[in-house]
Amino acid sequence: MGNVDINRVMSKGKYYTDFSFLNSGSRFPNSEILGRNAVYRYNNRLYTGEYARNKNLIALIDNDYKTIPYKVLSTNFFKLIISKLVGLVFSNDIIIKTGDIHRDREVASLVEKTRWREDIQRFFKLVEIYGDCPLKTHVDGVTAFEPLNCFKVVNKYNKQDVLGFVLYDYIYENDKYGNGRTYVRFEIHSKGSIFEIVKQFNGSIYNGGIIGDTVDFIYNNRNISKHGNIYYTGVDDCELIQWGSLNQEADGVYGQSSFMDIKDVVFTLEQRLSSELHIMNEHEKPLLLLGIENFRPNEHTGQYELKVLNDKYIIKRDEGSNPEYITWDGKLDNSRMYREDLLSLFYELSELGKTFLSGEYSGNVSEETLNNIIKSAIDRGNRDSNEIYYEVKNSLYTLCRLNGISILPEELNINFSIGRTDDDKQVAEIIKIITESEILSKQTMLEKYFGYNSEQAEAEMEKIRIEKMEG
């Protein structure tokens, strides 16, 4: 990934701070977008395992440089950590509360109808793979997609202040004379509105090109004026695009893939394994050791040749040494120990640990003990979900507003319940024991186990009191 890393380092920081990229004659996209897209594509190849396709290692063998096949680990570590993290974060139901029992039912019905949870799970997976993922909300649900062909326009003096989220796509079509033309459609999301416009484009989608004139265009059965279309969303305090990022502090505006910390360790593991396999394959066939009495001189060539009969049997004397095979003992202990050290480093850097990644543990382990064993994995799951929490929350808030549910952002509370495997009966028994022992209040237990905030817990306690009075 050397060239990809260099391109990204050189282009990082060259963010769009205004909308001048729409001007005719502007070069688009800039080096920042091109460099970031190269990193995104590479991270996708890590996830799919395609990064090692047609890859060879250069090895010094008998004072000569030779290529040896590159062996990818049969278990794709990049895909493994994503699958494990997604399973950890979404293994329990997401608890959603709004502070009102009737509205809770409305929101729960909307979430189920639009399959919001499944789309949020995809959103989380893509954020882990790419470090970034846009999440687009519409009346029928939310859509998470790869961060290619999209970028942020940020305040020049405060890069955390996003002026607009821009999605763009290239359109290819032929005119009436059969000549191919390329256009680029821009979709700019701001709070309360979306601006859409189509421009001519001359260049390459991978290396950039020049923005041309604005045109009238029919796109997806929709007329887009050459002056641009403005659509008002009805949600004035939020955009319809939420942009999730992990490890954003490493860049300042965009995120960093979960693969960044482990890729060098995985590559070193694969290189070590490739070298071992090459050595073992080279010594797979044993050597046959024969004494001099098994040979005779050739009168014509002057060289020695095996004594044979009917081109099959070696003729040997009764005395002398017998033929024997020499086999290679395969001493790779040092290499194997090195690989074990690398695996330990992988478990540490990924924060997931061997027990969580392999599922191996001995004895009859309780849920509480197992949670303690995989605590580092649970901590990482909580940290990663917290980094995208407000994007998830705002997507649900926007979905509710688009579907006519009256709600404020601060009234929504979402709990991923990471690491909690207790069922409702166990939770009820725990709460009963703790509250009757006067260790913690019922309100605190509602907050701890059901994700209520303090106001929601107080409202729930009040409803319980009213129900008792009415009963």
Side-chain angles (χ1 to χ4, degrees):
M1 188 184 172
N3 291 334
V4 176
D5 283 329
I6 292 171
N7 290 338
R8 181 58 189 149
V9 169
M10 292 178 64
S11 64
K12 187 169 69 173
K14 298 178 182 179
Y15 311 114
Y16 282 113
T17 57
D18 56 38
F19 297 91
S20 59
F21 60 86
L22 292 172
N23 296 338
S24 298
S26 298
R27 184 159 189 85
F28 179 86
N30 68 3
S31 60
E32 192 281 325
I33 294 177
L34 293 174
R36 185 160 41 84
N37 282 350
V39 176
Y40 289 151
R41 292 189 185 97
Y42 186 78
N43 287 331
N44 177 261
R45 293 198 296 274
L46 293 180
Y47 177 74
T48 61
E50 296 174 278
Y51 65 94
R53 182 178 293 173
N54 300 322
K55 183 176 181 179
N56 288 298
L57 295 177
I58 306 297
L60 183 61
I61 302 173
D62 297 331
N63 295 320
D64 188 21
Y65 288 99
K66 298 180 180 179
T67 59
I68 62 176
Y70 187 83
K71 172 65 177 175
V72 180
L73 296 176
S74 57
T75 299
N76 184 337
F77 279 176
F78 300 108
K79 188 173 184 178
L80 174 65
I81 67 167
I82 300 301
S83 299
K84 287 290 187 176
L85 277 169
V86 171
L88 176 67
V89 173
F90 293 90
S91 58
N92 297 307
D93 287 338
I94 300 175
I95 299 173
I96 302 169
K97 297 295 179 183
T98 69
D100 180 273
I101 191 169
H102 300 293
R103 190 167 54 190
D104 284 352
R105 294 194 187 105
E106 280 187 281
V107 173
S109 177
L110 178 63
V111 164
E112 186 67 25
K113 182 180 72 174
T114 59
R115 305 178 73 170
W116 177 83
R117 285 188 178 88
E118 292 181 24
D119 292 318
I120 292 300
Q121 182 170 323
R122 172 175 165 78
F123 170 62
F124 182 82
K125 176 187 285 189
L126 293 179
V127 168
E128 292 285 348
I129 295 172
Y130 296 103
D132 292 293
C133 180
L135 184 66
K136 188 174 184 179
T137 307
H138 41 88
V139 69
D140 296 321
V142 296
T143 303
F145 51 94
E146 290 82 358
L148 298 164
N149 291 16
C150 44
F151 59 95
K152 304 176 186 179
V153 177
V154 298
N155 187 322
K156 182 178 182 179
Y157 304 103
N158 178 14
K159 292 181 174 58
Q160 299 303 309
D161 179 21
V162 179
L163 305 179
F165 298 99
V166 183
L167 312 183
Y168 64 95
D169 60 302
Y170 297 101
I171 305 168
Y172 309 93
E173 67 171 25
N174 293 325
D175 60 19
K176 61 182 179 180
Y177 303 107
N179 299 316
R181 290 185 177 180
T182 304
Y183 303 89
V184 58
R185 182 186 71 92
F186 292 98
E187 182 179 311
I188 302 172
H189 289 253
S190 303
K191 286 183 172 65
S193 66
I194 303 170
F195 178 72
E196 184 181 35
I197 196 167
V198 176
K199 310 278 288 188
Q200 292 179 348
F201 181 76
N202 182 24
S204 165
I205 64 173
Y206 293 106
N207 299 318
I210 303 299
I211 295 293
D213 295 331
T214 309
V215 296
D216 292 316
F217 204 87
I218 299 177
Y219 179 83
N220 198 23
N221 297 322
R222 185 170 66 250
N223 291 317
I224 302 175
S225 165
K226 66 179 181 179
H227 303 292
N229 292 0
I230 297 179
Y231 311 98
Y232 295 100
T233 65
V235 187
D236 295 334
D237 57 346
C238 201
E239 301 92 346
L240 298 194
I241 289 286
Q242 307 301 320
W243 191 295
S245 295
L246 287 182
N247 308 312
Q248 189 174 345
E249 62 278 0
D251 181 277
V253 173
Y254 298 100
Q256 188 181 81
S257 170
S258 293
F259 302 152
M260 181 59 68
D261 292 334
I262 65 166
K263 63 184 180 67
D264 289 340
V265 175
V266 175
F267 294 158
T268 307
L269 267 169
E270 291 176 341
Q271 290 167 9
R272 177 50 47 193
L273 182 61
S274 298
S275 298
E276 289 184 25
L277 288 175
H278 173 74
I279 293 171
M280 293 173 69
N281 290 336
E282 286 293 307
H283 296 84
E284 193 173 49
K285 296 179 181 180
L287 297 175
L288 179 63
L289 181 65
L290 300 172
I292 190 64
E293 63 272 14
N294 299 112
F295 294 85
R296 67 182 178 187
N298 186 304
E299 297 179 356
H300 300 288
T301 64
Q303 301 295 322
Y304 281 93
E305 61 184 19
L306 282 172
K307 298 176 181 178
V308 295
L309 179 65
N310 297 328
D311 294 325
K312 186 173 183 182
Y313 299 104
I314 297 174
I315 302 173
K316 64 181 289 295
R317 301 174 185 171
D318 293 335
E319 68 277 3
S321 60
N322 292 325
E324 60 179 301
Y325 284 100
I326 298 178
T327 58
W328 178 67
D329 61 5
K331 291 181 178 179
L332 291 173
D333 292 343
N334 289 338
S335 182
R336 190 173 297 109
M337 290 172 63
Y338 182 41
R339 281 196 288 110
E340 290 175 357
D341 289 341
L342 288 171
L343 277 171
S344 296
L345 186 58
F346 168 77
Y347 295 137
E348 183 178 348
L349 288 174
S350 68
E351 301 180 56
L352 301 181
K354 182 178 181 180
T355 299
F356 179 71
L357 287 174
S358 66
E360 294 179 1
Y361 53 89
S362 59
N364 187 15
V365 181
S366 67
E367 295 293 347
E368 182 179 359
T369 302
L370 183 58
N371 280 347
N372 288 332
I373 293 174
I374 64 171
K375 185 179 184 304
S376 62
I378 293 174
D379 289 344
R380 175 169 177 177
N382 278 309
R383 187 180 71 244
D384 288 1
S385 61
N386 285 338
E387 288 201 44
I388 60 167
Y389 175 78
Y390 285 101
E391 285 71 34
V392 172
K393 180 176 177 178
N394 285 339
S395 78
L396 183 55
Y397 162 70
T398 305
L399 181 64
C400 290
R401 288 286 305 276
L402 292 176
N403 283 272
I405 298 176
S406 179
I407 194 171
L408 297 173
E410 57 268 24
E411 292 176 318
L412 265 176
N413 187 277
I414 300 173
N415 191 338
F416 286 97
S417 306
I418 299 171
R420 203 200 89 187
T421 56
D422 305 307
D423 60 26
D424 290 341
K425 181 179 179 182
Q426 289 175 315
V427 171
E429 290 174 349
I430 292 170
I431 292 176
K432 181 180 179 182
I433 293 171
I434 291 178
T435 54
E436 288 182 352
S437 302
E438 298 183 354
I439 298 173
L440 293 172
S441 68
K442 291 180 180 179
Q443 179 176 328
T444 300
M445 299 306 288
L446 286 173
E447 295 174 20
K448 176 178 175 63
Y449 283 97
F450 294 97
Y452 288 69
N453 59 33
S454 57
E455 292 79 10
Q456 292 168 340
E458 288 177 5
E460 190 69 25
M461 294 297 296
E462 179 63 19
K463 282 186 286 187
I464 293 172
R465 188 185 66 81
I466 292 172
E467 287 174 358
K468 284 185 176 180
M469 292 176 59
E470 292 176 349

mmCIF file of all heavy atoms in Angstrom, residues 207-238:
data_model
loop_
_atom_site.group_PDB
_atom_site.id
_atom_site.type_symbol
_atom_site.label_atom_id
_atom_site.label_comp_id
_atom_site.label_asym_id
_atom_site.label_seq_id
_atom_site.Cartn_x
_atom_site.Cartn_y
_atom_site.Cartn_z
ATOM 1 N N ASN A 207 -8.761 9.984 -12.660
ATOM 2 C CA ASN A 207 -7.707 11.001 -12.604
ATOM 3 C C ASN A 207 -8.236 12.431 -12.587
ATOM 4 O O ASN A 207 -7.460 13.372 -12.466
ATOM 5 C CB ASN A 207 -6.762 10.827 -13.805
ATOM 6 C CG ASN A 207 -6.090 9.472 -13.803
ATOM 7 O OD1 ASN A 207 -5.652 8.995 -12.763
ATOM 8 N ND2 ASN A 207 -6.021 8.839 -14.968
ATOM 9 N N GLY A 208 -9.534 12.582 -12.718
ATOM 10 C CA GLY A 208 -10.114 13.915 -12.688
ATOM 11 C C GLY A 208 -10.286 14.503 -14.076
ATOM 12 O O GLY A 208 -9.785 13.978 -15.076
ATOM 13 N N GLY A 209 -11.004 15.606 -14.134
ATOM 14 C CA GLY A 209 -11.277 16.254 -15.414
ATOM 15 C C GLY A 209 -11.724 17.687 -15.209
ATOM 16 O O GLY A 209 -11.540 18.270 -14.137
ATOM 17 N N ILE A 210 -12.346 18.252 -16.240
ATOM 18 C CA ILE A 210 -12.758 19.655 -16.219
ATOM 19 C C ILE A 210 -14.286 19.737 -16.224
ATOM 20 O O ILE A 210 -14.952 19.083 -17.026
ATOM 21 C CB ILE A 210 -12.185 20.420 -17.426
ATOM 22 C CG1 ILE A 210 -10.661 20.318 -17.445
ATOM 23 C CG2 ILE A 210 -12.618 21.884 -17.398
ATOM 24 C CD1 ILE A 210 -9.986 20.904 -16.224
ATOM 25 N N ILE A 211 -14.822 20.544 -15.312
ATOM 26 C CA ILE A 211 -16.262 20.788 -15.258
ATOM 27 C C ILE A 211 -16.662 21.706 -16.411
ATOM 28 O O ILE A 211 -16.010 22.726 -16.668
ATOM 29 C CB ILE A 211 -16.652 21.447 -13.913
ATOM 30 C CG1 ILE A 211 -16.389 20.476 -12.749
ATOM 31 C CG2 ILE A 211 -18.112 21.884 -13.923
ATOM 32 C CD1 ILE A 211 -17.285 19.267 -12.746
ATOM 33 N N GLY A 212 -17.723 21.315 -17.108
ATOM 34 C CA GLY A 212 -18.212 22.108 -18.238
ATOM 35 C C GLY A 212 -19.434 22.925 -17.872
ATOM 36 O O GLY A 212 -19.675 23.256 -16.705
ATOM 37 N N ASP A 213 -20.240 23.218 -18.895
ATOM 38 C CA ASP A 213 -21.430 24.047 -18.705
ATOM 39 C C ASP A 213 -22.543 23.269 -18.021
ATOM 40 O O ASP A 213 -22.617 22.047 -18.084
ATOM 41 C CB ASP A 213 -21.933 24.564 -20.061
ATOM 42 C CG ASP A 213 -20.937 25.503 -20.723
ATOM 43 O OD1 ASP A 213 -20.182 26.171 -19.980
ATOM 44 O OD2 ASP A 213 -20.914 25.568 -21.973
ATOM 45 N N THR A 214 -23.441 24.023 -17.397
ATOM 46 C CA THR A 214 -24.635 23.438 -16.800
ATOM 47 C C THR A 214 -25.638 23.117 -17.901
ATOM 48 O O THR A 214 -25.750 23.848 -18.888
ATOM 49 C CB THR A 214 -25.258 24.407 -15.796
ATOM 50 O OG1 THR A 214 -24.252 24.856 -14.899
ATOM 51 C CG2 THR A 214 -26.360 23.747 -15.009
ATOM 52 N N VAL A 215 -26.390 22.017 -17.748
ATOM 53 C CA VAL A 215 -27.349 21.604 -18.774
ATOM 54 C C VAL A 215 -28.691 21.258 -18.133
ATOM 55 O O VAL A 215 -28.765 20.921 -16.951
ATOM 56 C CB VAL A 215 -26.827 20.381 -19.562
ATOM 57 C CG1 VAL A 215 -25.559 20.730 -20.326
ATOM 58 C CG2 VAL A 215 -26.572 19.198 -18.627
ATOM 59 N N ASP A 216 -29.741 21.377 -18.954
ATOM 60 C CA ASP A 216 -31.028 20.770 -18.572
ATOM 61 C C ASP A 216 -30.882 19.266 -18.744
ATOM 62 O O ASP A 216 -30.270 18.792 -19.708
ATOM 63 C CB ASP A 216 -32.152 21.291 -19.471
ATOM 64 C CG ASP A 216 -32.442 22.763 -19.233
ATOM 65 O OD1 ASP A 216 -32.510 23.169 -18.058
ATOM 66 O OD2 ASP A 216 -32.573 23.502 -20.231
ATOM 67 N N PHE A 217 -31.471 18.523 -17.832
ATOM 68 C CA PHE A 217 -31.243 17.078 -17.884
ATOM 69 C C PHE A 217 -32.444 16.351 -17.299
ATOM 70 O O PHE A 217 -33.066 16.811 -16.337
ATOM 71 C CB PHE A 217 -29.983 16.718 -17.085
ATOM 72 C CG PHE A 217 -29.336 15.432 -17.498
ATOM 73 C CD1 PHE A 217 -28.416 15.408 -18.530
ATOM 74 C CD2 PHE A 217 -29.657 14.239 -16.867
ATOM 75 C CE1 PHE A 217 -27.813 14.210 -18.922
ATOM 76 C CE2 PHE A 217 -29.074 13.049 -17.241
ATOM 77 C CZ PHE A 217 -28.136 13.036 -18.276
ATOM 78 N N ILE A 218 -32.752 15.202 -17.894
ATOM 79 C CA ILE A 218 -33.793 14.314 -17.353
ATOM 80 C C ILE A 218 -33.079 13.163 -16.660
ATOM 81 O O ILE A 218 -32.369 12.380 -17.296
ATOM 82 C CB ILE A 218 -34.724 13.792 -18.453
ATOM 83 C CG1 ILE A 218 -35.448 14.950 -19.139
ATOM 84 C CG2 ILE A 218 -35.742 12.816 -17.861
ATOM 85 C CD1 ILE A 218 -36.332 14.526 -20.295
ATOM 86 N N TYR A 219 -33.266 13.071 -15.362
ATOM 87 C CA TYR A 219 -32.563 12.059 -14.565
ATOM 88 C C TYR A 219 -33.587 11.294 -13.736
ATOM 89 O O TYR A 219 -34.339 11.890 -12.948
ATOM 90 C CB TYR A 219 -31.544 12.739 -13.648
ATOM 91 C CG TYR A 219 -30.778 11.800 -12.748
ATOM 92 C CD1 TYR A 219 -29.656 11.125 -13.208
ATOM 93 C CD2 TYR A 219 -31.196 11.578 -11.434
ATOM 94 C CE1 TYR A 219 -28.945 10.269 -12.390
ATOM 95 C CE2 TYR A 219 -30.489 10.714 -10.603
ATOM 96 C CZ TYR A 219 -29.372 10.064 -11.082
ATOM 97 O OH TYR A 219 -28.682 9.208 -10.270
ATOM 98 N N ASN A 220 -33.638 9.985 -13.946
ATOM 99 C CA ASN A 220 -34.557 9.142 -13.180
ATOM 100 C C ASN A 220 -35.989 9.682 -13.264
ATOM 101 O O ASN A 220 -36.698 9.794 -12.254
ATOM 102 C CB ASN A 220 -34.087 9.064 -11.723
ATOM 103 C CG ASN A 220 -34.702 7.906 -10.973
ATOM 104 O OD1 ASN A 220 -35.125 6.923 -11.582
ATOM 105 N ND2 ASN A 220 -34.777 8.024 -9.648
ATOM 106 N N ASN A 221 -36.385 10.033 -14.500
ATOM 107 C CA ASN A 221 -37.726 10.581 -14.770
ATOM 108 C C ASN A 221 -37.978 11.910 -14.047
ATOM 109 O O ASN A 221 -39.128 12.274 -13.781
ATOM 110 C CB ASN A 221 -38.819 9.576 -14.378
ATOM 111 C CG ASN A 221 -38.742 8.294 -15.191
ATOM 112 O OD1 ASN A 221 -38.448 8.323 -16.397
ATOM 113 N ND2 ASN A 221 -38.965 7.159 -14.546
ATOM 114 N N ARG A 222 -36.906 12.627 -13.761
ATOM 115 C CA ARG A 222 -37.009 13.907 -13.063
ATOM 116 C C ARG A 222 -36.305 14.974 -13.894
ATOM 117 O O ARG A 222 -35.163 14.787 -14.322
ATOM 118 C CB ARG A 222 -36.355 13.784 -11.685
ATOM 119 C CG ARG A 222 -36.498 14.990 -10.805
ATOM 120 C CD ARG A 222 -36.030 14.682 -9.384
ATOM 121 N NE ARG A 222 -34.610 14.405 -9.270
ATOM 122 C CZ ARG A 222 -34.080 13.218 -8.993
ATOM 123 N NH1 ARG A 222 -34.868 12.162 -8.797
ATOM 124 N NH2 ARG A 222 -32.769 13.039 -8.892
ATOM 125 N N ASN A 223 -36.979 16.084 -14.140
ATOM 126 C CA ASN A 223 -36.392 17.183 -14.903
ATOM 127 C C ASN A 223 -35.514 18.032 -13.984
ATOM 128 O O ASN A 223 -35.994 18.591 -12.997
ATOM 129 C CB ASN A 223 -37.482 18.060 -15.523
ATOM 130 C CG ASN A 223 -38.247 17.338 -16.624
ATOM 131 O OD1 ASN A 223 -37.652 16.650 -17.448
ATOM 132 N ND2 ASN A 223 -39.569 17.497 -16.638
ATOM 133 N N ILE A 224 -34.240 18.116 -14.336
ATOM 134 C CA ILE A 224 -33.317 18.945 -13.565
ATOM 135 C C ILE A 224 -32.985 20.164 -14.414
ATOM 136 O O ILE A 224 -32.407 20.052 -15.505
ATOM 137 C CB ILE A 224 -32.026 18.176 -13.213
ATOM 138 C CG1 ILE A 224 -32.365 16.904 -12.421
ATOM 139 C CG2 ILE A 224 -31.076 19.058 -12.407
ATOM 140 C CD1 ILE A 224 -31.155 16.025 -12.138
ATOM 141 N N SER A 225 -33.338 21.333 -13.936
ATOM 142 C CA SER A 225 -33.107 22.575 -14.669
ATOM 143 C C SER A 225 -31.619 22.899 -14.709
ATOM 144 O O SER A 225 -30.861 22.546 -13.805
ATOM 145 C CB SER A 225 -33.870 23.726 -14.001
ATOM 146 O OG SER A 225 -33.412 24.977 -14.474
ATOM 147 N N LYS A 226 -31.188 23.590 -15.772
ATOM 148 C CA LYS A 226 -29.780 24.001 -15.843
ATOM 149 C C LYS A 226 -29.439 25.030 -14.776
ATOM 150 O O LYS A 226 -28.260 25.302 -14.529
ATOM 151 C CB LYS A 226 -29.450 24.546 -17.229
ATOM 152 C CG LYS A 226 -30.157 25.830 -17.598
ATOM 153 C CD LYS A 226 -29.722 26.263 -18.985
ATOM 154 C CE LYS A 226 -30.395 27.562 -19.398
ATOM 155 N NZ LYS A 226 -29.951 27.993 -20.743
ATOM 156 N N HIS A 227 -30.457 25.588 -14.143
ATOM 157 C CA HIS A 227 -30.229 26.498 -13.014
ATOM 158 C C HIS A 227 -30.184 25.732 -11.687
ATOM 159 O O HIS A 227 -29.881 26.325 -10.650
ATOM 160 C CB HIS A 227 -31.336 27.559 -12.953
ATOM 161 C CG HIS A 227 -31.458 28.364 -14.218
ATOM 162 N ND1 HIS A 227 -30.484 29.244 -14.635
ATOM 163 C CD2 HIS A 227 -32.435 28.393 -15.160
ATOM 164 C CE1 HIS A 227 -30.846 29.794 -15.781
ATOM 165 N NE2 HIS A 227 -32.027 29.302 -16.125
ATOM 166 N N GLY A 228 -30.479 24.431 -11.762
ATOM 167 C CA GLY A 228 -30.458 23.615 -10.555
ATOM 168 C C GLY A 228 -31.822 23.519 -9.900
ATOM 169 O O GLY A 228 -32.652 24.433 -10.016
ATOM 170 N N ASN A 229 -32.088 22.425 -9.243
ATOM 171 C CA ASN A 229 -33.337 22.226 -8.504
ATOM 172 C C ASN A 229 -33.067 22.282 -7.007
ATOM 173 O O ASN A 229 -32.059 21.767 -6.535
ATOM 174 C CB ASN A 229 -33.961 20.859 -8.832
ATOM 175 C CG ASN A 229 -34.465 20.765 -10.251
ATOM 176 O OD1 ASN A 229 -34.360 21.708 -11.032
ATOM 177 N ND2 ASN A 229 -35.021 19.612 -10.603
ATOM 178 N N ILE A 230 -33.994 22.886 -6.272
ATOM 179 C CA ILE A 230 -33.915 22.902 -4.807
ATOM 180 C C ILE A 230 -35.123 22.154 -4.260
ATOM 181 O O ILE A 230 -36.269 22.413 -4.648
ATOM 182 C CB ILE A 230 -33.892 24.335 -4.246
ATOM 183 C CG1 ILE A 230 -32.647 25.079 -4.721
ATOM 184 C CG2 ILE A 230 -33.914 24.313 -2.712
ATOM 185 C CD1 ILE A 230 -32.554 26.508 -4.222
ATOM 186 N N TYR A 231 -34.868 21.206 -3.362
ATOM 187 C CA TYR A 231 -35.929 20.441 -2.720
ATOM 188 C C TYR A 231 -35.863 20.719 -1.215
ATOM 189 O O TYR A 231 -34.803 20.605 -0.598
ATOM 190 C CB TYR A 231 -35.746 18.942 -2.971
ATOM 191 C CG TYR A 231 -35.497 18.581 -4.414
ATOM 192 C CD1 TYR A 231 -34.196 18.358 -4.872
ATOM 193 C CD2 TYR A 231 -36.545 18.457 -5.319
ATOM 194 C CE1 TYR A 231 -33.938 18.020 -6.189
ATOM 195 C CE2 TYR A 231 -36.301 18.115 -6.648
ATOM 196 C CZ TYR A 231 -34.998 17.905 -7.077
ATOM 197 O OH TYR A 231 -34.759 17.574 -8.387
ATOM 198 N N TYR A 232 -37.004 21.066 -0.634
ATOM 199 C CA TYR A 232 -37.054 21.319 0.809
ATOM 200 C C TYR A 232 -37.537 20.059 1.515
ATOM 201 O O TYR A 232 -38.549 19.459 1.134
ATOM 202 C CB TYR A 232 -37.969 22.505 1.111
ATOM 203 C CG TYR A 232 -37.439 23.799 0.532
ATOM 204 C CD1 TYR A 232 -37.944 24.315 -0.663
ATOM 205 C CD2 TYR A 232 -36.391 24.481 1.157
ATOM 206 C CE1 TYR A 232 -37.441 25.490 -1.203
ATOM 207 C CE2 TYR A 232 -35.875 25.656 0.615
ATOM 208 C CZ TYR A 232 -36.403 26.143 -0.570
ATOM 209 O OH TYR A 232 -35.884 27.304 -1.105
ATOM 210 N N THR A 233 -36.807 19.649 2.522
ATOM 211 C CA THR A 233 -37.047 18.358 3.159
ATOM 212 C C THR A 233 -38.096 18.420 4.262
ATOM 213 O O THR A 233 -38.670 17.399 4.627
ATOM 214 C CB THR A 233 -35.742 17.808 3.756
ATOM 215 O OG1 THR A 233 -35.305 18.677 4.821
ATOM 216 C CG2 THR A 233 -34.654 17.736 2.691
ATOM 217 N N GLY A 234 -38.327 19.603 4.847
ATOM 218 C CA GLY A 234 -39.243 19.718 5.975
ATOM 219 C C GLY A 234 -38.578 19.437 7.312
ATOM 220 O O GLY A 234 -39.220 19.523 8.359
ATOM 221 N N VAL A 235 -37.288 19.094 7.295
ATOM 222 C CA VAL A 235 -36.527 18.866 8.535
ATOM 223 C C VAL A 235 -35.447 19.947 8.578
ATOM 224 O O VAL A 235 -34.333 19.751 8.084
ATOM 225 C CB VAL A 235 -35.902 17.457 8.583
ATOM 226 C CG1 VAL A 235 -35.265 17.204 9.948
ATOM 227 C CG2 VAL A 235 -36.956 16.392 8.276
ATOM 228 N N ASP A 236 -35.783 21.089 9.154
ATOM 229 C CA ASP A 236 -34.912 22.263 9.061
ATOM 230 C C ASP A 236 -33.668 22.183 9.934
ATOM 231 O O ASP A 236 -32.717 22.941 9.713
ATOM 232 C CB ASP A 236 -35.694 23.532 9.418
ATOM 233 C CG ASP A 236 -36.816 23.822 8.420
ATOM 234 O OD1 ASP A 236 -36.675 23.386 7.261
ATOM 235 O OD2 ASP A 236 -37.814 24.458 8.802
ATOM 236 N N ASP A 237 -33.662 21.309 10.925
ATOM 237 C CA ASP A 237 -32.525 21.272 11.854
ATOM 238 C C ASP A 237 -31.585 20.096 11.597
ATOM 239 O O ASP A 237 -30.705 19.814 12.402
ATOM 240 C CB ASP A 237 -33.028 21.214 13.298
ATOM 241 C CG ASP A 237 -33.951 20.023 13.545
ATOM 242 O OD1 ASP A 237 -34.408 19.401 12.560
ATOM 243 O OD2 ASP A 237 -34.216 19.713 14.727
ATOM 244 N N CYS A 238 -31.753 19.426 10.443
ATOM 245 C CA CYS A 238 -30.911 18.256 10.183
ATOM 246 C C CYS A 238 -30.839 17.998 8.682
ATOM 247 O O CYS A 238 -31.800 18.227 7.946
ATOM 248 C CB CYS A 238 -31.494 17.028 10.894
ATOM 249 S SG CYS A 238 -30.296 15.707 11.159
#
